Amino acid sequence: MAVMSLYTSRGFHPSLTDWRNHSRFWEGRVEHVELGYELSGRCFGASRSIACTRWCRTVVSCDSGRASRGISAGAGQAEVDSGAHPVKFRYDVMLSEVSTWGIGGPARIYAEVSTPDELATVLRYCTCHNVRWFVVGKGSNCLFDDRGFDGCVILNRINFLEKLGTGRYRVGSGYAFNTLGVQCSRDGFSGLEFAGGIPGTVGGAIYMNAGADGQETGDVVQNVEILTTSGVSHSLSRDAGELKFDYRFSPFQKMSDFSVIVAATFDLQPNSDAKQRQRIYLERRKRTQPVTEKSAGCVFRNPGAGCQSAGALIEQAGLKGVAIGGARVSEKHANFLINGGGSKSQDVQALIALVKEEVHKKFGLWLQDEVLYIPYNQEQQL
Ligand SMILES: Cc1cc2nc3c(=O)[nH]c(=O)nc-3n(C[C@H](O)[C@H](O)[C@H](O)COP(=O)(O)OP(=O)(O)OC[C@H]3O[C@@H](n4cnc5c(N)ncnc54)[C@H](O)[C@@H]3O)c2cc1C
């Protein structure tokens, strides 16, 4: 039996040591993860089999007294193990630490994953214990709630890069998108020059179809490897017509059986000007955007053909520098809302509402959010 460590004050129950795979016990709770077997033993208190989804079919959980969410309040840290890929869980990690806005209360559960197997372990755990989860890359397009997230936040650090051939890169979804952009341009390939200025991950860029300077992520993605909600690895390809992107839209935003992007392959074209072009883009960004301040980039989507940019509309509505609490409209680029220090999520939400109202009064159109608000719990989401 592989030993499983729990970084809590609780211990293992000695009678469980001969269970076939991994068993754990804490505070009256026994959980047995048995790969490929049905467990027929009895354990403390009532025995309960969890519904057989593909993720869960090998998990039997036995509770006595505590809720079946599998998390011990205030326990600090614990390790979840489903075989060879243990993952450390932490509790009450502040989401302000994983958001470029520096805003957000505590995540009830928090896990960092650096391999697809670790990711699968956490997803399986969440599914089996009915824990709501959310995957975050760099948190550069997310507004977390002041109350935090009543579930599990999974920080994606699946961070590899493989060069498969001329201009073809296979990258882990947690790989830094700006690093990828710089590397490809330096190698003399065009298509991701714009990415040099985007502080997200590859997974976040694909999910959002991030873009700038006339380029978009979706233009150069050849293949995306995902996990489905039932835990199956699946690959979608451009050639099969499965990857149709639009302005800040990817098919993953609407896919019913989708859970997480694990990796992607990009196809880029040789171009000796790529590095120089990227330098120009980065210089323009520094000149026109508040890149040293805490933000999530552009907050509103551009309204579309025939209309001015959202930033221009906000500026003409006289809103540059307008502040609510610690949040203010950037003086440098009006589509950036800045956390000037101590801003709450509520300040940003109120400022977003104010900007929409004022732009509507002046131009008769409602701006749409580009940033994603991540609600604290399910009720808020509905
Ligand atoms: C200074 C600054 C400049 C910016 N400039 C631009 C710009 O020019 N153009 C632009 O488009 N954006 C820009 N952004 C916004 C942001 O960087 C992009 O949207 C980026 O792609 C988000 O990546 P992320 O990893 O931070 O995603 P996150 O903010 O962590 O997540 C965003 C969404 O993607 C989902 N997601 C993340 N990873 C995965 C995954 N592996 N699988 C499935 N879903 C996933 C999350 O669940 C969430 O729904 C800017 C932001 C900042 C702070």
Side-chain angles (χ1 to χ4, degrees), residues 135-142 201 205 207 210-211 248 261 285 297 372:
V135 65
V136 65
K138 299 281 185 186
S140 65
N141 205 54
C142 290
T201 58
Y207 185 85
R248 301 297 175 268
I261 297 163
R285 225 176 239 277
L372 306 172

Side-chain angles (χ1 to χ4, degrees), residues 150-163:
D150 187 24
C152 179
V153 169
I154 306 167
L155 189 77
N156 175 19
R157 292 289 175 259
I158 302 174
N159 197 5
F160 64 84
L161 181 141
E162 296 167 6
K163 294 186 184 182

Side-chain angles (χ1 to χ4, degrees), residues 32-85:
H32 186 99
V33 181
E34 189 176 71
L35 305 173
Y37 297 96
E38 277 298 326
L39 178 73
S40 56
R42 231 182 75 79
C43 44
F44 316 96
S47 176
R48 189 169 63 82
S49 282
I50 290 174
C52 288
T53 66
R54 186 187 169 94
W55 281 118
C56 298
R57 68 169 170 232
T58 56
V59 177
V60 176
S61 172
C62 314
D63 292 326
S64 78
R66 288 190 72 82
S68 68
R69 61 185 183 161
I71 302 303
S72 171
Q77 296 187 74
E79 198 165 272
V80 169
D81 194 343
S82 72
H85 311 290

Side-chain angles (χ1 to χ4, degrees), residues 48-206:
R48 189 169 63 82
S49 282
I50 290 174
C52 288
T53 66
R54 186 187 169 94
W55 281 118
C56 298
R57 68 169 170 232
T58 56
V59 177
V60 176
S61 172
C62 314
D63 292 326
S64 78
R66 288 190 72 82
S68 68
R69 61 185 183 161
I71 302 303
S72 171
Q77 296 187 74
E79 198 165 272
V80 169
D81 194 343
S82 72
H85 311 290
V87 177
K88 199 177 284 180
F89 276 6
R90 293 165 60 199
Y91 307 108
D92 296 333
V93 170
M94 294 301 285
L95 293 172
S96 53
E97 292 171 21
V98 296
S99 129
T100 54
W101 242 326
I103 291 174
R108 177 158 66 85
I109 313 168
Y110 172 89
E112 289 188 19
V113 297
S114 49
T115 66
D117 289 324
E118 288 178 3
L119 174 64
T121 295
V122 178
L123 291 176
R124 190 180 300 120
Y125 182 88
C126 290
T127 305
C128 294
H129 293 85
N130 203 18
V131 172
R132 178 173 163 255
W133 57 269
F134 179 77
V135 65
V136 65
K138 299 281 185 186
S140 65
N141 205 54
C142 290
L143 178 61
F144 292 110
D145 195 88
D146 292 324
R147 286 193 290 162
F149 187 81
D150 187 24
C152 179
V153 169
I154 306 167
L155 189 77
N156 175 19
R157 292 289 175 259
I158 302 174
N159 197 5
F160 64 84
L161 181 141
E162 296 167 6
K163 294 186 184 182
L164 299 179
T166 310
R168 182 168 263 238
Y169 297 78
R170 179 171 175 265
V171 208
S173 57
Y175 199 83
F177 196 50
N178 46 9
T179 307
L180 177 66
V182 168
Q183 172 139 12
C184 297
S185 303
R186 258 195 214 140
D187 291 349
F189 295 105
S190 176
L192 286 175
E193 292 92 315
F194 76 103
I198 297 190
T201 58
V202 165
I206 293 172

Side-chain angles (χ1 to χ4, degrees), residues 207 244 248-258 301:
Y207 185 85
K244 295 209 163 58
R248 301 297 175 268
F249 173 82
S250 73
F252 308 104
Q253 295 172 17
K254 287 268 153 73
M255 197 179 285
S256 56
D257 190 26
F258 165 70
R301 300 161 66 94

